Amino acid sequence: MDMNALMRQAQNVQRVIQKKQKEVEETEFVVSSNGGAITINIMGSKKVNKIEIDEDLLTDKDMLQDLLLIAVNEAIKKVDDEMNKVMNEATGGMKIPGMF
């Protein structure tokens, strides 16, 4: 196999991966938890933009803290799952060291 062609192909795959990563990072994900009592808007870069909390949760601090932890972790998992999905599509399922 021609090494130059292989290098060009690798560079093309790298460009596709970078483009897909950027697309995910610029996407806003909305995650609702506990039946919609907590809603989190998170960017693919994992920057949380907004948290909405149902007023009924404001009376129990411990429960609210637990539910916020769960909701934030769900939001981060959603971003990670989407990044894994687009990376698998971009690489054809090939595992690349240092990538998701």
Side-chain angles (χ1 to χ4, degrees):
M1 177 172 248
D2 179 12
M3 279 305 271
N4 288 328
L6 187 60
M7 290 300 292
R8 282 191 301 275
Q9 184 179 9
Q11 289 170 342
N12 287 337
V13 169
Q14 184 179 18
R15 278 193 290 277
V16 168
I17 289 171
Q18 289 171 340
K19 180 181 178 208
K20 296 287 186 181
Q21 281 179 316
K22 185 172 175 63
E23 288 173 4
V24 171
E25 288 172 358
E26 294 174 349
T27 300
E28 184 174 50
F29 298 86
V30 179
V31 178
S32 290
S33 183
N34 199 40
I38 296 177
T39 302
I40 295 179
N41 294 41
I42 186 171
M43 298 302 294
S45 61
K46 298 182 184 172
K47 177 183 179 262
V48 175
N49 287 338
K50 183 178 181 182
I51 297 176
E52 294 179 27
I53 301 169
D54 187 298
E55 285 188 33
D56 293 340
L57 295 178
L58 299 178
T59 60
D60 187 341
K61 179 182 173 186
D62 290 333
M63 182 176 69
L64 177 57
Q65 289 172 333
D66 290 343
L67 292 174
L68 276 171
L69 283 173
I70 291 167
V72 168
N73 286 327
E74 284 179 16
I76 291 169
K77 184 178 180 331
K78 185 171 186 174
V79 169
D80 286 344
D81 289 348
E82 183 64 19
M83 188 64 81
N84 284 329
K85 178 182 156 198
V86 298
M87 290 301 104
N88 282 335
E89 289 171 1
T91 63
M94 180 177 56
K95 299 293 181 197
I96 298 174
M99 300 299 286
F100 292 78

